[in-house]
Amino acid sequence: DEEFNDLCFEFGLELDEITSEKDIISKEKGAEKAKGASDTILYKIDVPANRYDLLCLEGLVRGLQVFKERINLPRYEKIIPAQGEGQKLIITKETAKVRPHAVAAVLRNITFTKERYDSFIDLQEKLHQNICRRRALVAIGTHDLDTISGPFTFTAKAPSEIKFKPLNQSQEYTASQIMDLYRTDSHLRHYLHLIENKPLYPVIYDSNGVVLSMPPIINGDHTKISLNTRNVFIECTGTDITKAKIVLDIIVTMFSEYCEKPFSVEAAEVVYPNGKTHIYPELAYRKEKVKPELINKKIGINETPSSLAKLLTRMCLKSHAIENGNNIEIEIPPTRADVIHACDIIEDAAIAYGYNNIQMTIPKTYTIANQLPLNKLTELLRLDLAAAGFTEALTFALCSQEDIADKLGTNISTTKAVCIANPKTAEFQVARTTLLPGLLKTIAANRKMPLPLKLFEISDIVVKDPNTDVGARNYRHFCAVYYNKSPGFEIIHGLLDRVMQLLEVPPNKENGYTIKATEGSAFFPGRCAEIFAKGQSIGKLGVLHPDVITKFELTMPCSALEINIGPFV
């Protein structure tokens, strides 16, 4: 297990955990449910989302074998049958509005075993979830070619006109009935919306009118693949032709190793509505050139061109040095759709070299990291506020509209609050414009604690600001509340004086701070003051209004202070 873990790491993968079906079920549902499950050891391997060629055992083993230099990378070839003998897929113009694209191929004389068959089905499922974007971009259909006869037609018809026996069902249904049938199916119901509201549904027929599939929902039962299937017809329909080609390439390259002639695929011809034809799968090999200096510089190593080429060859990118070592020519196989740019090639060279083998060096740029002044001030204040006997709270940056408006006695339109477009819960509708509601909710949740409750928080609030590039601005606020049988205004006032003392702001008008009586919707009339410092209003302090206290489900008087600490940095 440890060796395999190390191998995965070297190859740029992660062995997530070693488990068994029994373990998984007992973790999720308890030991009772796991009684009959298998004890076979399972490896859970994390594969990067762009490496579609490692999503099945065949591809993963092949990749690791090439990486360990035990085998050479196989050469995938497509066999184009003699004129008139190959399979044909004809696309009609009706498909244009639902699923315009289709590609196809044939795996000849394949030998399935139970394991290979399961892997074949599993790969399709993984591709559906990943690159096919839950079948929205591409849907894969695989059929037993010996049960049908070409040429095949990909068309779109009204739901009432399509009638066939879906996979693993015992009777025929029309397309509309199939939709109703699978509405409760835990697996298939997620795909119904893709075509449900379209006037025509896509469907593939053979020359005798047998339904192969109704993509992206279900295949027909007639063409079901079994362990005895020898010839497989694969079709991928979709809304994105590039992804469809990639998906087809991945499936045929992974499973062509089980054909009588390993790594060979029989091509199929696709006829478009305009009469043009195209041969699939493309299985395109292409050549790229990358300078060895670039690879060395980007990774921070110093290797010869020939050893770099060897590293890349181990990563399934067959390479050799050309032009006396001034360039490396890399052949990108059809399995590696993820190689788009030279950076992808350099990354593979780094993986093969081994990230742990790259020498650590101090960067050439001379920069010394420093704490942001605002954060430094915040940290210093936190310590002293805790020393003053207040407890720090950390509350959510999002809250409901009521918290910052109705409960504080103001209207939401005056708060300049930033609203969330489609909030998951009523608790998270807006970004907070004040820290007070969070602290009052914290007190409400801790009413069982002995009095007095003295809480503070220093965090960011967000308000709309049309002058910034993102349309909103953050301010660092400090808020403190005192909750006891008496309001304790003098305690909050004393805390303000202590904070100003720490910030070295004297209590005078010229260059210090002053407080001036004012009214605030959240405060008791005649018990609220505005705080002025640095020539501007920085916040308010006072005794909270009884209405505010009851709206937050509190029962005792409470005084609060909230200021903006930005001006003091």
Side-chain angles (χ1 to χ4, degrees), residues 273-329:
N274 61 9
K276 287 191 177 149
T277 66
H278 200 297
I279 303 286
Y280 291 106
E282 287 194 340
L283 288 188
Y285 282 88
R286 69 175 207 273
K287 298 253 175 40
E288 296 284 349
K289 286 181 188 171
V290 180
K291 294 210 173 302
E293 308 85 77
L294 180 71
I295 300 180
N296 278 328
K297 184 178 160 216
K298 291 272 186 208
I299 304 175
I301 55 177
N302 191 9
E303 292 286 303
T304 61
S306 58
S307 67
L308 286 173
K310 197 173 168 196
L311 289 176
L312 288 167
T313 304
R314 286 176 57 204
M315 295 300 289
C316 299
L317 299 171
K318 199 168 160 203
S319 314
H320 56 272
I322 53 169
E323 300 163 20
N324 295 331
N326 285 332
N327 252 328
I328 297 177
E329 187 177 71

Side-chain angles (χ1 to χ4, degrees), residues 319-374:
S319 314
H320 56 272
I322 53 169
E323 300 163 20
N324 295 331
N326 285 332
N327 252 328
I328 297 177
E329 187 177 71
I330 299 120
E331 184 179 55
I332 292 148
T335 46
R336 292 298 304 272
D338 59 298
V339 178
I340 302 168
H341 185 275
C343 287
D344 300 307
I345 294 169
I346 296 167
E347 181 193 12
D348 271 8
I351 291 171
Y353 185 82
Y355 282 176
N356 288 349
N357 301 329
I358 300 170
Q359 288 294 310
M360 285 205 180
T361 52
I362 289 174
K364 299 269 192 296
T365 47
Y366 183 73
T367 55
I368 302 298
N370 223 332
Q371 198 177 14
L372 208 62
L374 180 62

Side-chain angles (χ1 to χ4, degrees), residues 378-397:
T378 304
E379 291 298 329
L380 292 168
L381 270 177
R382 280 187 176 131
L383 285 170
D384 279 304
L385 287 163
F390 278 71
T391 305
E392 184 171 23
L394 202 60
T395 60
F396 289 119

Side-chain angles (χ1 to χ4, degrees), residues 4 34 42 104 133 203 205 256 313 359 367 384 386 391 445 469 496:
F4 186 66
L42 296 176
R133 206 66 59 74
V203 59
Y205 291 102
S256 53
T313 304
Q359 288 294 310
T367 55
D384 279 304
T391 305
D469 53 351
L496 170 69

